[in-house]
Amino acid sequence: MIEDEEFESFAKEMRGVKPLNTKKKVDLSKAKVAQPSLILRRQMAITLKETAAGNPLTEEIIDLVHPLDIIEYRTDGVAHGVYRNLKRGMYPLDARLDLHQKKMHQARTEVFQFIQDCQKYDIRSAIILHGKGELGEPKAFLKSCVNTWLKQIPEVLAFHSAQKKHGSVGALYVLIKKSDKKKLENKLVFSKGRVDSN
């Protein structure tokens, strides 16, 4: 039979061949891209250290948004007209923070300090460029972080995704509270000329 002849021919050719001695092993090489949960756990360790240093912004729970989502936020005290003007980009942008290519830890520090500095120097409206995050993993991670962090800063009254000319959904307009110094100045200006009726 042909099959028997082929087998005998194969066995003849393989005479003297010994199997290679290899050790059984498991591939322990790590994936090149860290899993999102691992990234978050690493950042949580940094957060605990930084929170003690005065930065209250979380890195533990970040609400993920889509790269093309419009993000918005307004506290109760902000008038509808003021918020509408913010959305339309009608206020002068007196300060700018660019977070492109920043790591989460660095961005967290910079966002917190930026808002503190804006209030200190009486800057009421500013822009933060966070990017869309379409190529990163997880998607829109830094955008999601900024969206979460700004809601945790009491000095932030409102924010909204920017107009196309300022970066569209890759940037945010931010409205910041007046500093205590500016509030006092305004109070003095408006109280001039008033006569106490008593």
Side-chain angles (χ1 to χ4, degrees), residues 13-198:
E13 291 294 324
M14 296 304 292
R15 237 182 256 139
V17 175
K18 295 180 183 175
L20 293 174
N21 289 330
T22 58
K23 294 179 183 175
K24 292 182 180 179
K25 60 182 180 179
V26 176
D27 185 13
L28 297 175
S29 61
K30 293 182 180 177
K32 290 183 182 178
V33 179
Q35 296 297 320
S37 61
L38 180 60
I39 294 170
L40 290 175
R41 282 200 309 272
R42 287 179 185 157
Q43 293 301 330
M44 281 169 39
I46 296 167
T47 301
L48 294 173
K49 185 178 175 185
E50 277 231 347
T51 301
N55 185 341
L57 305 183
T58 186
E59 289 183 3
E60 296 176 25
I61 302 169
I62 303 297
D63 296 324
L64 294 178
V65 297
H66 188 273
L68 301 179
D69 280 352
I70 291 173
I71 53 179
E72 56 187 338
Y73 169 78
R74 177 175 69 96
T75 58
D76 291 336
V78 177
H80 290 287
V82 170
Y83 189 58
R84 185 173 55 247
N85 289 342
L86 180 73
K87 284 168 60 171
R88 293 178 179 170
M90 296 177 71
Y91 294 120
L93 301 172
D94 296 323
R96 178 178 183 262
L97 176 63
D98 190 346
L99 297 174
H100 285 93
Q101 307 300 318
K102 305 279 181 177
K103 300 283 186 199
M104 182 188 195
H105 172 68
Q106 187 180 5
R108 178 178 170 270
T109 302
E110 289 188 22
V111 166
F112 182 72
Q113 192 58 54
F114 178 71
I115 299 300
Q116 301 307 307
D117 289 345
C118 283
Q119 192 182 44
K120 179 180 176 182
Y121 295 107
D122 295 313
I123 293 168
R124 297 297 312 284
S125 57
I127 188 166
I128 297 177
L129 298 111
H130 47 67
K132 295 175 190 171
E134 292 178 291
L135 303 177
E137 199 53 53
K139 301 262 185 246
F141 186 62
L142 198 55
K143 176 178 180 173
S144 301
C145 289
V146 173
N147 179 47
T148 300
W149 294 335
L150 289 178
K151 293 173 186 174
Q152 297 173 344
I153 303 175
E155 292 81 9
V156 173
L157 292 173
F159 61 81
H160 196 281
S161 293
Q163 293 292 314
K164 191 172 183 178
K165 64 183 177 181
H166 292 131
S168 188
V169 293
L172 281 175
Y173 299 131
V174 184
L175 186 65
I176 301 149
K177 279 183 184 177
K178 289 178 187 172
S179 67
D180 290 338
K181 177 184 157 199
K182 197 69 172 174
K183 285 180 190 174
L184 182 60
E185 284 176 15
N186 286 351
K187 190 175 181 181
L188 292 173
V189 167
F190 289 114
S191 66
K192 281 185 181 177
R194 291 187 182 171
V195 179
D196 194 352
S197 58
N198 292 336

